[in-house]
Amino acid sequence: GAGVSQSPRYKVAKRGQDVALRCDPISGHVSLFWYQQALGQGPEFLTYFQNEAQLDKSGLPSDRFFAERPEGSVSTLKIQRTQQEDSAVYLCASSLDLGGRGYTFGSGTRLTVV
Amino acid sequence: KQEVTQIPAALSVPEGENLVLNCSFTDSAIYNLQWFRQDPGKGLTSLLLIQSSQREQTSGRLNASLDKSSGRSTLYIAASQPGDSATYLCAAQSNTGNQFYFGTGTSLTVIP
């Protein structure tokens, strides 16, 4: 597609509910990243894929967070047993290569846990 | 861990003024540095990317400089316009080539 597509745009979850956030990167982009952006803050790195391989998941805040990219294209970020502190905008980005060429962000999914 | 700081946190200027946004980072071993723009409720748009071997990049009214040794970058916006109003984020890409470390941004308002 023309850009990085994320769905849903908005998600309200009750505390304890599981959620799944989807990212559809630009076709042909090898690298895919997930970031978490709390209100008034800059994005913070969660995890990184090169094709289907998850090469870095050091930013995932707890074992309730899980990401996958099984076929090297679409990625899903899953959060189990959501907590209020999980409320944030979740941004996905993809790039052509490791050098950051064509680094493109999606519009994000705003998650609110009530 | 890389720490990125942006000053000022917010800036309000009249239309037509030239302005400078500042970014500093603690670890000079970076792969590159990017400036992004974020509009409310939207994702990030890449404005300028400076490779670690470069000193500056220019695009239209925007000029970004990089001084790795001092851990500083500046974004210069010439002849500001109301449409420039947005949050500007500086991000340093790690030497491993994957994650970016972001500052908290400068919220810019250009008054017509």
Side-chain angles (χ1 to χ4, degrees), chain A residues 12-79:
Chain A
V12 178
K14 290 186 177 178
R15 194 171 57 176
Q17 187 179 351
D18 296 350
V19 298
L21 312 181
R22 176 188 169 105
C23 173
D24 203 334
I26 292 174
S27 178
H29 275 198
V30 169
S31 301
L32 185 145
F33 308 80
W34 284 98
Y35 288 83
Q36 179 190 59
Q37 186 175 23
L39 191 64
Q41 302 296 313
E44 296 226 350
F45 171 79
L46 293 176
T47 187
Y48 156 68
F49 291 86
Q50 185 173 346
N51 296 307
E52 69 279 2
Q54 188 175 21
L55 298 186
D56 187 344
K57 53 182 181 179
S58 61
L60 296 176
S62 78
D63 58 8
R64 297 186 294 105
F65 286 70
F66 172 75
E68 60 182 6
R69 193 186 186 197
E71 297 177 359
S73 55
V74 171
S75 177
T76 303
L77 175 67
K78 298 179 179 178
I79 309 173

Side-chain angles (χ1 to χ4, degrees), chain A residues 4 26 28-33 35 48-50 93-105, chain B residues 30-36 44-52 54 57 91-102:
Chain A
V4 177
I26 292 174
H29 275 198
V30 169
S31 301
L32 185 145
F33 308 80
Y35 288 83
Y48 156 68
F49 291 86
Q50 185 173 346
S94 68
S95 74
L96 199 56
D97 57 28
L98 287 178
R101 284 192 304 149
Y103 207 100
T104 304
F105 277 86
Chain B
I30 62 171
Y31 193 68
N32 64 46
L33 186 132
Q34 283 205 41
W35 283 90
F36 293 87
L44 280 68
T45 301
S46 178
L47 298 173
L48 290 165
L49 182 151
I50 312 175
Q51 299 288 353
S52 62
Q54 297 174 323
Q57 283 287 331
Q93 190 171 17
S94 71
N95 243 350
T96 56
N98 44 39
Q99 69 166 294
F100 277 92
Y101 294 91
F102 283 84

Side-chain angles (χ1 to χ4, degrees), chain B residues 5-13 19-23 35 75 86-89 103-109:
Chain B
T5 304
Q6 290 187 248
I7 295 172
L11 182 62
S12 184
V13 301
L19 58 101
V20 175
L21 308 181
N22 296 292
C23 171
W35 283 90
L75 178 67
T87 296
Y88 290 81
L89 291 156
T104 52
T106 294
S107 177
L108 173 66
T109 302

Side-chain angles (χ1 to χ4, degrees), chain B residues 26-27 42 46 53 61 65 68 79 86 88 93 95 107 109:
Chain B
T26 55
D27 186 352
K42 302 287 179 64
S46 178
S53 58
R61 294 181 295 108
S65 67
K68 272 183 57 177
Y88 290 81
Q93 190 171 17
N95 243 350
S107 177
T109 302

